[in-house]
């Protein structure tokens, strides 16, 4: 029996760029590997049984409005209502803000119906809206972002701090994904090898190996988008003793990965901030999202700290 409508709440974490993004050698399909962080989106859906319209707050979150209307059109208990989106992911920076909004929206509407919505159903809804990150799944995942389909679940990442610099501006992810460069067979083979390495590294919670794959992916990303500061940032991160460098392949951010088990972590955070200050207008400190077993369905409270350089 379906419960009567109620105020629904849903959430989703963001991704601090991608640990890896490329093309598989075997099937020539674009993929990425998420870097879940303890920041994200929260959606609240307040049903209104007297109106057949959906009002979205803030109004510019039109994709979330489109998704909510599609879900309501098939609902047997909901008609209209107010969808409010909250969160602390800046837009157009490569932090999966759009996908997080959409996943949180789907979960909020389903919650208002008194049901849970699975990742497969969310994917089916998102496929007609835009390319998406895999933040509907727990932990780090390899994801066919253009196809909006799961490639593989890698698992929870070890505790990492990411000091991220934003070079400014915004990137339209939909427009970015309309263009795909031609990758050589050698490049596709390297991406597949990096994915295999990363899969093992996450399973072993090997921070050094995770950082090495992320750094190589960052270097390869310059084919997609020029990053004049990247070589100097990678060199400085190595001198600092960081685990590696991660980028938002379709965004404006570059991050320095730090192992939270490092006894010199506070000093390295300060050093990473100094490195990022050479190219960034804003510097943010994030932490990897950690599941709270046995519930892997929602991110924890947002814990990012913003530092303006």
């Amino acid at each position: 029996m379906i419960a009567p409508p109620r105020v629904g709440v849903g959430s989703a974490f963001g991704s601090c760029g991608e640990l890896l993004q490329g093309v598989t050698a075997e099937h020539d399909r674009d993929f990425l590997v998420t870097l879940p962080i303890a920041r994200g989106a929260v959606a609240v859906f307040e049903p209104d049984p007297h109106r057949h319209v959906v009002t979205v707050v803030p109004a510019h979150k039109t994709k979330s409005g489109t998704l909510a209307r599609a879900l309501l059109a098939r609902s047997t208990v909901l008609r209209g209502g107010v969808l409010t989106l909250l969160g602390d992911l800046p837009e157009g920076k490569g932090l999966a803000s759009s996908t997080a909004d959409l996943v949180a929206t789907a979960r909020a509407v389903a919650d208002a119906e008194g049901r849970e919505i699975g990742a497969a159903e969310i994917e089916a809804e998102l496929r007609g809206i835009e390319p998406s990150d895999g933040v509907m799944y727990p932990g780090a995942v390899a994801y066919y972002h253009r196809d909006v389909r799961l490639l593989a679940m890698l698992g929870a990442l070890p505790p990492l701090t990411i000091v991220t610099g934003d070079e400014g501006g915004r990137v339209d992810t939909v427009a970015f994904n309309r263009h795909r460069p031609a990758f050589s067979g050698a490049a596709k083979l390297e991406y597949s090898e990096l994915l295999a390495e990363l899969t093992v590294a996450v399973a072993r919670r090997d921070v050094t190996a995770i950082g090495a794959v992320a750094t190589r992916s960052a270097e390869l990303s310059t084919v997609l988008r020029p990053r004049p500061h990247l070589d100097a940032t990678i060199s400085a991160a190595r001198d600092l003793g960081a685990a590696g460098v991660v980028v938002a392949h379709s965004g404006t951010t570059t991050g320095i990965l730090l192992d939270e088990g490092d006894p010199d972590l506070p000093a390295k955070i300060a050093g990473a901030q100094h490195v990022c200050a050479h190219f960034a207008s804003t510097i943010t400190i994030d932490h990897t999202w950690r599941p709270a077993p046995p519930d892997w369905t929602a991110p924890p409270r947002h814990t990012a700290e913003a530092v303006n350089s």
Side-chain angles (χ1 to χ4, degrees), residues 21-241:
Q21 183 167 325
V23 181
T24 60
E26 185 175 0
H27 300 295
D28 190 36
R29 296 174 71 184
D30 296 81
F31 75 93
L32 56 79
V33 177
T34 57
L35 173 50
I37 54 173
R39 280 200 288 168
V42 174
V44 179
F45 184 75
E46 302 171 82
D48 185 340
H50 306 294
R51 302 175 68 226
H52 289 262
V53 298
V54 175
T55 301
V56 182
V57 181
H60 74 277
K61 303 277 188 178
T62 56
K63 295 173 186 175
S64 292
T66 297
L67 174 59
R69 293 180 188 98
L71 290 169
L72 264 63
R74 292 186 291 279
S75 176
T76 60
V77 296
L78 298 175
R79 294 183 178 181
V82 178
L83 173 68
T84 302
L85 288 154
L86 309 166
D88 49 8
L89 295 173
E91 298 175 5
K93 304 297 184 181
L95 302 181
S97 63
S98 183
T99 305
D101 281 343
L102 290 167
V103 173
T105 294
R107 289 173 174 165
V109 173
D111 187 47
E113 292 180 299
R115 70 181 182 96
E116 293 185 2
I117 185 169
E121 183 180 349
I122 294 174
E123 286 177 317
E125 297 292 344
L126 267 56
R127 238 167 250 136
I129 298 177
E130 66 174 3
S132 301
D133 294 272
V135 298
M136 67 287 294
Y137 290 97
V141 299
Y143 201 74
Y144 292 127
H145 52 287
R146 292 177 186 266
D147 300 332
V148 194
R149 294 182 189 278
L150 180 69
L151 169 55
M153 297 182 69
L154 276 62
L157 294 171
L160 299 171
T161 289
I162 310 103
V163 178
T164 305
D166 175 17
E167 64 194 61
R170 294 177 60 174
V171 174
D172 184 325
T173 304
V174 174
F176 182 88
N177 278 286
R178 290 195 190 107
H179 306 286
R180 183 177 186 262
F183 290 96
S184 67
K188 294 174 187 177
L189 182 59
E190 182 174 8
Y191 282 125
S192 293
E193 291 171 346
L194 287 169
L195 178 57
E197 292 173 16
L198 184 57
T199 300
V200 172
V202 173
R204 293 178 176 174
R205 301 178 72 78
D206 186 336
V207 173
T208 300
I210 291 170
V213 171
T215 302
R216 180 56 182 154
S217 186
E219 291 171 335
L220 293 170
S221 76
T222 56
V223 174
L224 304 171
R225 187 173 179 276
R227 300 174 191 273
H229 62 275
L230 184 61
D231 288 345
T233 301
I234 291 174
S235 178
R238 284 175 178 153
D239 291 342
L240 186 64

Side-chain angles (χ1 to χ4, degrees), residues 278-295:
H278 288 288
F279 68 86
S281 57
T282 302
I283 301 168
T284 305
I285 301 173
D286 278 298
H287 308 278
T288 44
W289 169 77
R290 294 91 193 262
D295 181 10

